[in-house]
Amino acid sequence: MHKPIQWPENAKGAGSEKLTEAELLQLEAKYCSHGDTVHYTNPPKIFERCEGSFIYDAAGREYLDLQMWYSAVNFGYRNRRLNNAVVRQLETLPQVASQYLHREKIELAAIIAQDVERKFGTKGRVHFNVGGSQAVEDSLKLVRNAKNGKSLMFAFEGGYHGRTLAASAITSSYRYRRRYGHFGDRALFVPFPYHFRGPKGMSKEEYGHHCVKQFERLFETEYHGVWDPKAGQAEYAAFYVETLQGTGGYVKPPMNFFRELKKVLDNYGILLVVDDIQMGFFRTGKLWSIEHFGVEPDVIVFGKALTNGLNPLSGIWAREELINPEVFPVGSTHSTFNANPMGTAVALEAMRMMSETDYETMVMEKGAYLLKGLEDLKRRYKVVGDVDGLGLALRMEICEPHDSFTPSKAIVDRMVDEALKADIEIDGRKYGVVLDIGGYYKNVITLAPSLHITKDEMDLVLKLLDRLLHRVSKDLTG
Ligand SMILES: Cc1ncc(COP(=O)(O)O)c(C=O)c1O
């Protein structure tokens, strides 16, 4: 018997008439898994429209977005040029099985590989997937294969590489593993030079050097557990790094750090895998964030902003010795949607756009302007313990006002709630703000505005943060 799909009872006219926000939230509470999301606010916010640096709710309230989908929308919401690339592909070849080829995949891989070769002097190839975690999984297969099946990795305390089973094994938080048992081998988590919370009395560079020395100590004797001096082999295949820690709170290491770390890795035959999923594509002012640090990666993992958050596409670039078809043969990994034509088409247009515009100068200038404003806020508000940034990856660490150091998740949570009220009046217009929270103590506002943010919008950002800080500081002093 034919059983037609029944529309939810309270869904009025199914498609023609829209459900109210209250009805949607009721359905969400009942039918959506909450396992794939985090509701930062109660009730969770529903958005309906977006444009440039702004996102709008059903009531038309305007929110300046300082998160841009965790840095997936670097080039602004509804970027015309990139949206048009999607439309063009939709009208020509929107679907094709991944066993066949299409022009966009090949051109995109070539452009990325040629760019890496020009910048780092290393030949390599590109391998696509759909989400960041899946690309991390692919990279794990690649490095395990290159190191004769060695499955152990180093990674950083505070590091985040995704939530699939193997990606959570190299992500620092035990919270992401606790319920699910072990599948991939858990990484050995090594301290990242988080200077603000490091030992007192050391400069940033001294602390970076200190962290490398502590890591190098592991290889001093076989009894430190990672190195067999007789075989000249480490038990670990690769070190997974984020250049600036994303979820970890946009922590920026001293500029000497990766150069010194890479020397140790080279000495002991350990591969350097740069997870640039969040910091890539000019978030920090360079196409590849590792370009700031003067070292050659063995593998780069990318995702997010490559398609400006449109059709998902992620991937890895790896040195030829690790990825050529002789060593990493056909079918080593596969996903139906891996090099999907919609994603590769928009990514190709995004790469073209990045090659035609001087994003480096633009992002570094805008970042410097915003950082100066954040430093001013730090001078004026005791709840701001630390501000820092590289390009348009900026951080503001919120602390207890008595010492401007003790992390305060409670104050940050208040700021997020206040920001979503959308009642901050600036020049006769009301705004909300979309903030993202990260950090080891969940007390860091990680600022990732659109790279196309205008000067007026940056001034608005600073005014809105000023008002938010004023609100929460006022409450603290009664
Ligand atoms: C550095 C880093 N690696 C990996 C991931 C996982 O990517 P995805 O959420 O697309 O699976 C993220 C996501 O935030 C990330 O920031």
Side-chain angles (χ1 to χ4, degrees):
M1 195 181 98
H2 171 59
K3 289 190 182 171
I5 297 170
Q6 289 288 326
W7 237 242
E9 263 175 36
N10 51 351
K12 292 181 190 162
S16 49
E17 253 184 280
K18 283 184 180 170
L19 293 167
T20 64
E21 191 160 320
E23 286 167 335
L24 284 171
L25 287 174
Q26 232 177 20
L27 292 175
E28 195 270 349
K30 194 164 173 194
Y31 294 114
C32 291
S33 160
H34 292 183
D36 63 357
T37 182
V38 179
H39 292 140
Y40 281 104
T41 53
N42 185 16
K45 192 93 212 135
I46 300 177
F47 288 109
E48 289 223 335
R49 196 165 65 77
C50 56
E51 187 70 44
S53 291
F54 293 91
I55 189 156
Y56 301 83
D57 67 14
R61 283 182 289 247
E62 188 170 34
Y63 301 77
L64 183 52
D65 198 327
L66 295 178
Q67 164 197 85
M68 300 308 286
W69 202 353
Y70 321 120
S71 218
V73 192
N74 281 2
F75 309 107
Y77 287 123
R78 298 183 64 219
N79 179 300
R80 293 279 168 276
R81 178 167 176 175
L82 301 178
N83 283 15
N84 286 342
V86 174
V87 174
R88 276 198 307 276
Q89 194 67 25
L90 194 61
E91 298 299 333
T92 50
L93 183 75
Q95 298 115 328
V96 60
S98 54
Q99 81 200 72
Y100 304 110
L101 292 172
H102 57 286
R103 170 185 300 279
E104 292 76 14
K105 168 190 171 167
I106 301 167
E107 284 188 29
L108 181 62
I111 280 163
I112 292 174
Q114 286 167 7
D115 180 82
V116 176
E117 186 174 346
R118 215 168 29 253
K119 293 197 173 131
F120 301 105
T122 330
K123 287 193 191 313
R125 292 172 191 255
V126 173
H127 176 111
F128 293 111
N129 210 320
V130 193
S133 306
Q134 290 94 326
V136 166
E137 296 260 343
D138 290 351
S139 74
L140 282 165
K141 275 194 172 176
L142 182 106
V143 297
R144 284 176 175 215
N145 176 60
K147 291 286 175 183
N148 301 320
K150 278 186 184 145
S151 55
L152 298 182
M153 309 292 151
F154 293 111
F156 283 120
E157 291 177 6
Y160 183 90
H161 301 287
R163 302 240 193 129
T164 53
L165 282 166
S168 358
I170 57 165
T171 288
S172 54
S173 299
Y174 170 46
R175 189 160 62 86
Y176 301 141
R177 292 184 292 274
R178 187 173 62 81
R179 292 165 178 274
Y180 316 107
H182 285 126
F183 188 71
D185 287 301
R186 189 183 179 282
L188 181 60
F189 296 106
V190 171
F192 190 80
Y194 180 4
H195 185 254
F196 180 63
R197 300 210 170 270
K200 301 295 159 228
M202 280 189 206
S203 70
K204 284 186 178 174
E205 284 65 29
E206 282 165 352
Y207 186 42
H209 180 69
H210 171 79
C211 289
V212 174
K213 286 288 153 204
Q214 286 302 106
F215 174 64
E216 192 170 24
R217 201 185 144 271
L218 289 174
F219 300 89
E220 228 171 68
T221 149
E222 69 184 270
Y223 297 101
H224 291 171
V226 306
W227 175 245
D228 179 347
K230 291 197 177 126
Q233 274 201 37
E235 199 172 5
Y236 286 71
F239 200 140
Y240 274 74
V241 309
E242 293 164 89
T243 52
L244 264 72
Q245 297 199 300
T247 307
Y250 283 20
V251 184
K252 177 181 149 193
M255 299 317 264
N256 61 332
F257 178 67
F258 283 111
R259 259 196 318 273
E260 293 192 20
L261 181 68
K262 181 69 161 74
K263 275 192 200 139
V264 179
L265 300 182
D266 286 347
N267 284 345
Y268 299 101
I270 293 160
L271 299 169
L272 175 67
V273 181
V274 175
D275 178 344
D276 229 1
I277 290 169
Q278 186 157 168
M279 292 299 156
F281 305 111
F282 288 101
R283 172 54 53 202
T284 67
K286 299 273 191 191
L287 179 65
W288 313 110
S289 66
I290 192 72
E291 289 176 58
H292 285 288
F293 297 93
V295 296
E296 285 167 29
D298 295 301
V299 180
I300 303 173
V301 191
F302 51 83
K304 290 196 196 268
L306 176 59
T307 61
N308 204 35
L310 296 168
N311 255 65
L313 191 75
S314 63
I316 58 181
W317 168 92
R319 278 192 1 235
E320 180 69 10
E321 309 88 278
L322 309 174
I323 201 172
N324 76 69
E326 304 257 295
V327 297
F328 199 58
V330 289
S332 290
T333 81
H334 181 265
S335 167
T336 297
F337 297 119
N338 65 14
N340 63 85
M342 298 291 287
T344 46
V346 67
L348 194 58
E349 191 62 27
M351 291 298 290
R352 199 170 285 128
M353 192 174 80
M354 286 182 260
S355 75
E356 288 170 7
T357 312
D358 183 1
Y359 275 96
E360 177 161 355
T361 306
M362 182 178 99
V363 170
M364 294 315 276
E365 282 176 6
K366 289 181 184 180
Y369 185 78
L370 276 177
L371 185 56
K372 199 158 155 284
L374 296 181
E375 279 160 356
D376 178 53
L377 293 173
K378 177 174 174 294
R379 275 190 290 276
R380 295 198 288 118
Y381 291 100
K382 289 200 168 70
V383 294
V384 182
D386 183 48
V387 296
D388 202 357
L390 186 62
L392 281 168
L394 298 148
R395 77 192 308 268
M396 180 187 256
E397 182 148 354
I398 302 296
C399 304
E400 298 289 347
H402 71 274
D403 60 359
S404 302
F405 184 73
T406 307
S408 181
K409 179 176 180 305
I411 300 175
V412 165
D413 288 346
R414 271 288 322 278
M415 284 180 75
V416 172
D417 288 342
E418 289 296 321
L420 286 181
K421 285 183 182 165
D423 65 350
I424 310 174
E425 201 168 313
I426 308 274
D427 302 329
R429 196 164 166 160
K430 286 191 175 151
Y431 296 96
V433 192
V434 176
L435 296 175
D436 199 20
I437 304 306
Y440 294 36
Y441 305 92
K442 290 283 165 269
N443 70 319
V444 181
I445 299 178
T446 51
L447 301 159
S450 162
L451 307 186
H452 292 187
I453 192 168
T454 64
K455 163 85 169 43
D456 286 349
E457 287 167 354
M458 289 196 288
D459 290 333
L460 183 60
V461 168
L462 296 170
K463 282 184 195 162
L464 290 167
L465 290 174
D466 190 352
R467 294 290 180 83
L468 285 170
L469 289 165
H470 182 74
R471 277 191 193 180
V472 293
S473 302
K474 190 161 65 68
D475 289 353
L476 292 169
T477 54

